[in-house]
Amino acid sequence: MPTKKVMRGKAGGIECVIESDNTVLELISYLLGSDASTLLSELGKIMVCKGIFSEVYIISNDLVEAIKIIFSKGYVPYSAGLYIGRIRRSRPQFVPSVNLLQLIYERLGPRRALIVSEEGLKPFLYGNDILRKSVVKCYEPLNKDEVVGIVSNDGYVYGIGLSVVEGCKDLNALNELDLVAKNIFDVGWYLRGGTEARERMLKV
């Protein structure tokens, strides 16, 4: 079987690869559905940049040729395209970005998500976790130790949580102050100086 040509660039300790297989799309399909991975494949190509972390981007088909030229000159276009998440060796293997979830929820509807009250979002944006009393609605699938989108009533994605429950049905057995999801990332990170080295981006 012939092997697919890999488009790769490496510079300054960072290596970027335009995927020739479906590794990332398979992770997204598992988390957010096959329609989500189909949507992304229609938007462009997957590029994975590996340095300290493995970050994933979706780049438009029109941009691919330009990136190939950048690769050929010994550079990498780090942060090119739309940032869609991070790949990890341990579970959760893929942590989607807020941008990716916003795109999926707007185009295809919510899934793997918790709708959280305004009162619950305020402490979440300071790095705190989500309690049962704050959850207004739950969207399957939901798995323990897997990611879940944290969403406001108006549909805006405020962050990513790590579910401690196995399915929305488990919420019925919880008390108001029981933990539902741990904070992995919230958009308040940007305001807390997260773009500097004072606080890591993902708490997982």
Side-chain angles (χ1 to χ4, degrees), residues 103-135:
L103 174 68
I104 298 302
Y105 295 167
E106 288 179 356
R107 298 276 192 96
L108 304 174
R111 67 280 306 273
R112 202 176 285 277
L114 296 173
I115 308 300
V116 176
S117 67
E118 184 177 348
E119 292 74 17
L121 286 173
K122 289 177 182 177
F124 179 74
L125 291 173
Y126 283 94
N128 292 299
D129 301 326
I130 298 296
L131 304 180
R132 174 64 185 92
K133 68 176 183 177
S134 301
V135 178

Side-chain angles (χ1 to χ4, degrees), residues 75-87:
Y75 299 102
V76 292
Y78 193 61
S79 294
L82 176 69
Y83 173 62
I84 61 170
R86 180 180 293 178
I87 299 174

Side-chain angles (χ1 to χ4, degrees), residues 33 61 84 106 118-119 132 137 155 157 165 169 183 191:
N61 292 317
I84 61 170
E106 288 179 356
E118 184 177 348
E119 292 74 17
R132 174 64 185 92
K137 194 169 184 179
V157 181
V165 297
K169 64 182 185 303
N183 183 316
L191 301 177

Side-chain angles (χ1 to χ4, degrees), residues 3-7 18-20 68:
T3 58
K4 295 182 180 179
K5 185 177 179 181
V6 177
M7 291 178 279
I18 298 176
E19 275 209 337
S20 59
K68 288 168 65 176

